């Protein structure tokens, strides 16, 4: 039996024991599919490459790009580490049509120019290929301006997006939205999300992991039209 590596245990706790990231990235991966053999997958701003590593575990040829060298050095020690490339998401070093699928977990809101990042994703995606991405929405954040401003400053959030605004940007780049889903849909859940990010940070998000099933239950009973995070799947024409 293969030994479990300490780096994988730490990565699991950091990425999956979390009030939202497991459900957020997990949903995107579910949309992508369980069998990814023969497919090339790019994770844009993937940090240590953990989520891209899960696509590799499903058979994909996985690549993760980021500018955080320290995270990538750590990620190289993971059991299913993808290829890790240090580069700018606004200037991807890949040929046109290089990938079958692109993953991007809550990254676009941190870019100065989200449109340029989507230009690059669309360029390196094959016709018929798909993007699986999430983004900050913070649809009710104006009700709590101090929490909103603290969240944006702490996490360097440059822009927020809805499924409509992202859909428009994707359409302009030749991609059609297949489906979308909001998370933290209720006012109480949105306030929890902002409070955790402002006062608890990463530790707070991890400590609040037991609340994830309650948030998911609340989401199922609320309209799929607003929330803190939006998830989209789009296909290139």
């Amino acid at each position: 039996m293969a030994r479990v590596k300490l780096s994988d245990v730490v990565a699991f706790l950091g990425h999956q024991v979390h009030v939202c990231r497991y459900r957020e990235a997990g949903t995107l991966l579910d949309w992508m599919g369980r069998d990814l053999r023969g497919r090339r997958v790019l994770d844009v701003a993937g940090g240590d490459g953990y989520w891209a590593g899960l696509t590799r575990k499903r058979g994909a040829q996985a690549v993760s790009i980021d500018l955080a060298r320290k995270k990538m050095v750590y990620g190289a020690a993971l059991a299913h580490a993808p290829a890790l490339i240090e580069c700018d998401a606004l200037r991807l070093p890949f040929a046109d049509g290089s990938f079958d699928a692109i993953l991007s977990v809550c990254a676009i809101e941190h870019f100065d120019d989200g449109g340029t990042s989507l230009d690059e994703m669309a360029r390196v995606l094959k016709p018929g290929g798909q993007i699986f991405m999430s983004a900050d929405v913070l649809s009710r954040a104006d009700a709590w301006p101090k929490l909103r401003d603290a969240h944006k400053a702490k996490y360097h959030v440059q822009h927020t997006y809805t499924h409509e605004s992202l859909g428009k940007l994707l359409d302009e780049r030749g991609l059609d939205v297949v489906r979308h889903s909001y998370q933290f849909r209720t006012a109480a859940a949105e306030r929890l999300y902002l409070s955790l990010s402002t006062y608890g940070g990463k530790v707070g998000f991890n400590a609040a992991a037991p609340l994830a099933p309650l948030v998911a239950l609340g989401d199922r009973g609320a309209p799929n039209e607003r929330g803190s995070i939006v998830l989209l799947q789009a296909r290139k024409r």
Side-chain angles (χ1 to χ4, degrees):
M1 187 164 98
R3 288 189 341 182
V4 176
K5 299 174 69 174
L6 178 61
S7 56
D8 287 285
V9 174
V10 173
F12 177 89
L13 293 174
H15 289 281
Q16 301 216 35
V17 182
H18 194 283
V19 73
C20 65
R21 200 66 76 215
Y22 168 74
R23 189 161 64 101
E24 177 187 355
T27 298
L28 295 175
L29 290 173
D30 285 346
W31 289 354
M32 194 179 291
R34 301 297 303 179
D35 186 356
L36 301 176
R37 286 174 294 181
R39 299 180 67 189
R40 295 199 72 205
V41 175
L42 172 67
D43 188 357
V44 175
D48 61 11
Y50 177 82
W51 298 112
L54 293 189
T55 72
R56 183 185 171 204
K57 193 174 181 181
R58 297 180 184 186
Q61 300 173 47
V63 179
S64 179
I65 68 102
D66 206 290
L67 286 172
R69 180 178 298 181
K70 187 175 180 181
K71 288 183 179 180
M72 290 191 291
V73 168
Y74 179 83
L78 299 178
H80 298 282
L84 294 153
I85 298 176
E86 183 181 356
C87 68
D88 190 341
L90 306 187
R91 298 175 62 186
L92 296 175
F94 308 111
D96 297 357
S98 296
F99 294 93
D100 300 287
I102 292 176
L103 177 68
S104 182
V105 182
C106 262
I108 190 172
E109 66 265 28
H110 305 295
F111 300 147
D112 292 333
D113 190 342
T116 297
S117 72
L118 290 176
D119 286 339
E120 284 292 274
M121 291 186 217
R123 179 182 66 77
V124 302
L125 190 65
K126 293 179 180 177
Q130 297 187 80
I131 289 178
F132 303 85
M133 67 184 303
S134 58
D136 261 8
V137 184
L138 311 179
S139 62
R140 298 180 179 89
D142 289 347
W144 312 293
K146 289 184 179 180
L147 293 177
R148 175 201 63 206
D149 294 345
H151 172 87
K152 287 187 172 183
K154 190 171 187 177
Y155 293 97
H156 310 290
V157 174
Q158 305 297 316
H159 308 280
T160 56
Y161 299 88
T162 65
H163 74 281
E164 291 100 339
S165 63
L166 266 181
K168 183 175 184 296
L169 290 171
L170 290 164
D171 177 64
E172 291 169 352
R173 290 156 179 81
L175 292 114
D176 298 312
V177 173
V178 175
R179 56 181 158 182
H180 77 274
S181 181
Y182 283 94
Q183 295 187 351
F184 293 84
R185 297 178 188 176
T186 68
E190 279 213 73
R191 183 157 190 171
L192 170 68
Y193 178 84
L194 285 171
S195 296
L196 286 171
S197 71
T198 300
Y199 299 117
K202 184 174 181 180
V203 173
F205 278 131
N206 293 138
L211 297 176
L214 294 177
V215 174
L217 182 63
D219 283 354
R220 284 197 292 272
N224 187 28
E225 58 189 26
R226 60 180 175 174
S228 294
I229 301 168
V230 66
L231 288 64
L232 281 95
Q233 175 183 352
R235 181 179 289 110
K236 185 174 179 179
R237 294 192 283 271

